[in-house]
Amino acid sequence: MQRAWVSVKPRGRGGFAMGLPEARKLGIPLMNLVRFKGLPILQQLHLEERLLRTSSDNWCIINDGTDQPTIVMGISGKPAELLEIKSVLCDHIPVIRRFTGGGTVIVDPSTIFVTFICNKDAVPGLQPYPRPIMSWSEQIYNKVFQGIGDFHLRENDYVFGNHKFGGNAQSITKNRWIHHTSFLWDYEVRSMAYLKLPERAPEYRLHCVKEAKQVSWRRNLCDLSSNIKHASWVDFTRYSNQYKARDHLEFICRMKDFMPRSIFVDRSVEATKTHFLLRSTESENIEAHSGTKFCHSTRLLTKQELEAAAFAAPSEGALSQPCSL
Amino acid sequence: MASRLLWASRAASYLRISVFHRGFSTVLKDLKYADSHEWVKVEGNTAIVGITDHAQDHLGDVVYVELPEVGAPVEQSSSFGAVESVKATSDINSPVSGKVVEVNKELNDSPGLVNSSPYDKGWIIKVEVGDSGELKNLMGAEQYSKFCEEEDAKH
């Protein structure tokens, strides 16, 4: 683990100038901060995967928007289950399968990406497992959104109230981990139409679509069995609520309704400084921090793969039909 | 807890080994353990590999297992695959070096076997062992149990 030490100078009136923030810098780990604007998401993911696997430094990567709308699935994502493939193909939307777990997002220039890549001992007391890392990230963003909206981590999503605006994913290796987030600062309504409702949805996404049907009846146990000597009334109640996952537009919200873009980025950097000593690094210098030979698992799916997935999915219908204008 | 005792006993019976409990996650005697929380059972020249009860408990519900190809080489302490649990992929590291001779295809349809039966039906790969001397680098059950307790206590 890298550590940075800050020298302390006494002031004229005696005593030390070192306040709490400076004192806390003693012994806190170093983290390289790299900022991009409009970096294509495939390049971002390739960079992240390479830094996770070949670097021994800690990294914070902020990408202020990507260059074009792109669908990004998790490691086990299946296009037939997750995407409206015909529309995706008609509109030539790129589809990526990334190296981290989690669900499917559609990102574009309105999306803001924040990534942390850390050695497993970088955060004192943090166990390198999904839930502790997720909880740690909530501490960071609690500072970012302090006093703004009803922010919290709900299951594995960042929400205001019960509306999601930030999706998380992680990858954990033997000695390092990555936690990256795509924030919906804004989004195009039509983009959400490319995504099906996922089979695995968080519980808080569910809402009641049919009122509880309460059926109560009482039975006298003596009526049920002559062996029971003492009468007892027993209530049997059956509820039959029916739940359905909220569709995309009911489920998500726009971060821009809560915070300006630049304020979010600045606050994220400041919140990260409470855990790490940040060192701004130019993107051109990243090559020096990692090995040169690396084979990514993150990749762009081919048109043939998507067509094959659509062919295998009966609900997609014929691909030969013309795309709608 | 009762169900854990039941499958632990069944797993022990299948593997013909005895069991002891460290209080929370189960550790089986006569297996060897890596500090990255994989277990290995060596039978002659073949090793069966999986992740421990401690690991599956900390990872959460496994929804996908990325398996290697049969015939692929594996190296002690190096990653050969991954498990996905909700939002995270976690590397699986091989406790031994050698060649993959079989993968547990049941995990393609039932990845949850890694949670429900980590030492039995949730096995992940079988390896033709290249160097049995590497086993001395692994922990026995008691040492691994203590390792887990110390790891949990540090955090």
Side-chain angles (χ1 to χ4, degrees):
Chain A
M1 175 170 46
Q2 301 170 38
R3 294 193 179 276
W5 296 90
V6 177
S7 62
V8 176
K9 295 178 184 177
R11 276 199 173 143
R13 286 188 179 185
F16 288 93
M18 181 174 66
L20 185 58
E22 286 78 18
R24 289 176 66 198
K25 285 181 185 176
L26 289 175
I28 66 170
L30 191 63
M31 177 174 270
N32 298 310
L33 171 66
V34 187
R35 297 175 68 156
F36 297 99
K37 187 167 176 63
L39 183 71
I41 186 62
L42 184 62
Q43 284 186 38
Q44 176 187 332
L45 290 168
H46 278 172
L47 172 64
E48 290 178 359
E49 192 175 358
R50 181 159 60 90
L51 290 177
L52 174 71
R53 294 280 176 190
T54 67
S55 170
S56 55
D57 288 359
N58 302 310
W59 296 87
C60 175
I61 298 168
I62 299 177
N63 185 16
D64 191 354
T66 189
D67 62 333
Q68 60 170 318
T70 306
I71 291 169
V72 185
M73 301 188 301
I75 189 172
S76 62
K78 295 182 176 64
E81 293 177 7
L82 298 167
L83 308 180
E84 300 292 351
I85 301 178
K86 185 177 168 218
S87 302
V88 168
L89 285 167
C90 276
D91 296 343
H92 308 288
I93 306 295
V95 179
I96 292 170
R97 182 179 284 123
R98 66 180 185 265
F99 67 103
T100 52
T104 306
V105 293
I106 178 158
V107 298
D108 61 24
S110 302
T111 312
I112 305 176
F113 305 89
V114 181
T115 298
F116 297 102
I117 303 172
C118 292
N119 292 309
K120 70 174 183 180
D121 297 327
V123 180
L126 179 65
Q127 275 201 317
Y129 290 108
R131 196 66 217 169
I133 296 169
M134 195 70 76
S135 298
W136 171 82
S137 77
E138 187 186 17
Q139 293 179 29
I140 298 281
Y141 291 107
N142 273 336
K143 295 183 175 72
V144 175
F145 297 108
Q146 194 169 19
I148 296 172
D150 176 23
F151 168 77
H152 48 277
L153 175 70
R154 190 128 186 213
E155 295 182 50
N156 297 295
D157 300 330
Y158 299 139
V159 301
F160 290 124
N162 69 343
H163 291 92
K164 175 180 177 178
F165 70 95
N168 295 299
Q170 301 167 339
S171 183
I172 303 169
T173 69
K174 191 173 179 187
N175 295 308
R176 288 165 68 73
W177 53 264
I178 179 172
H179 177 100
H180 58 189
T181 310
S182 57
F183 289 95
L184 289 173
W185 189 76
D186 196 0
Y187 60 83
E188 296 279 345
V189 170
R190 63 184 175 187
S191 293
M192 297 302 150
Y194 296 119
L195 307 181
K196 290 182 176 176
L197 277 180
E199 274 186 27
R200 284 197 308 265
E203 282 191 28
Y204 81 95
R205 185 168 183 161
L206 302 178
H207 71 140
C208 184
V209 293
K210 187 174 178 180
E211 288 183 4
K213 184 179 174 184
Q214 184 173 338
V215 176
S216 304
W217 65 93
R218 290 183 163 206
R219 293 286 172 88
N220 187 335
L221 287 180
C222 290
D223 295 335
L224 294 174
S225 171
S226 58
N227 291 327
I228 297 171
K229 295 179 181 178
H230 301 285
S232 300
W233 288 103
V234 179
D235 283 347
F236 295 91
T237 305
R238 184 177 67 212
Y239 294 92
S240 59
N241 286 342
Q242 289 187 18
Y243 293 91
K244 185 186 160 191
R246 288 178 277 157
D247 68 24
H248 299 305
L249 301 180
E250 290 179 319
F251 178 53
I252 59 177
C253 66
R254 293 177 168 89
M255 199 167 74
K256 74 174 188 179
D257 294 337
F258 295 87
M259 184 181 276
R261 201 171 178 111
S262 58
I263 298 291
F264 168 73
V265 173
D266 290 345
R267 280 196 174 196
S268 297
V269 171
E270 290 306 306
T272 305
K273 285 179 181 175
T274 63
H275 289 264
F276 296 94
L277 187 61
L278 284 184
R279 174 175 67 189
S280 287
T281 304
E282 296 300 320
S283 57
E284 298 80 38
N285 296 332
I286 292 176
E287 289 291 333
H289 290 272
S290 61
T292 52
K293 284 187 180 177
F294 180 69
C295 184
H296 305 100
S297 63
T298 299
R299 65 180 187 87
L300 193 64
L301 270 62
T302 64
K303 185 180 171 201
Q304 290 73 23
E305 285 174 304
L306 293 172
E307 287 173 343
F311 183 77
S315 60
E316 280 293 324
L319 276 177
S320 58
Q321 291 177 14
C323 298
S324 54
L325 294 173
Chain B
M1 189 64 189
S3 61
R4 283 178 179 272
L5 288 171
L6 181 60
W7 68 248
S9 299
R10 285 179 178 168
S13 176
Y14 171 77
L15 294 168
R16 295 182 212 162
I17 52 180
S18 56
V19 179
F20 73 89
H21 299 285
R22 55 178 280 265
F24 299 101
S25 302
T26 297
V27 177
L28 300 189
K29 284 183 179 176
D30 301 337
L31 299 183
K32 289 289 190 182
Y33 298 89
D35 60 5
S36 48
H37 302 286
E38 291 85 11
W39 60 266
V40 61
K41 167 80 173 169
V42 179
E43 294 176 337
N45 204 31
T46 302
I48 309 171
V49 175
I51 67 169
T52 66
D53 186 34
H54 178 276
Q56 70 79 20
D57 186 48
H58 282 66
L59 289 175
D61 292 341
V62 174
V63 298
Y64 173 72
V65 181
E66 187 180 64
L67 296 167
E69 296 289 329
V70 172
V74 292
E75 195 179 314
Q76 189 178 53
S77 302
S78 292
S79 169
F80 67 81
V83 291
E84 183 187 5
S85 51
V86 191
K87 295 286 184 180
T89 58
S90 300
D91 278 1
I92 317 170
N93 302 292
S94 183
V96 293
S97 302
K99 185 175 72 173
V100 177
V101 295
E102 192 178 344
V103 300
N104 186 354
K105 292 179 185 173
E106 292 291 320
L107 298 179
N108 289 327
D109 293 326
S110 304
L113 288 172
V114 173
N115 296 114
S116 61
S117 185
Y119 298 114
D120 182 9
K121 292 179 182 173
W123 67 272
I124 301 174
I125 60 170
K126 291 183 182 175
V127 176
E128 181 183 276
V129 177
D131 179 7
S132 58
E134 284 183 334
L135 294 174
K136 68 179 185 302
N137 301 329
L138 304 175
M139 291 181 271
E142 280 193 43
Q143 188 184 2
Y144 175 67
S145 184
K146 193 176 172 194
F147 172 76
C148 290
E149 285 172 6
E150 288 172 355
E151 193 179 77
D152 286 344
K154 272 195 294 188
H155 300 99

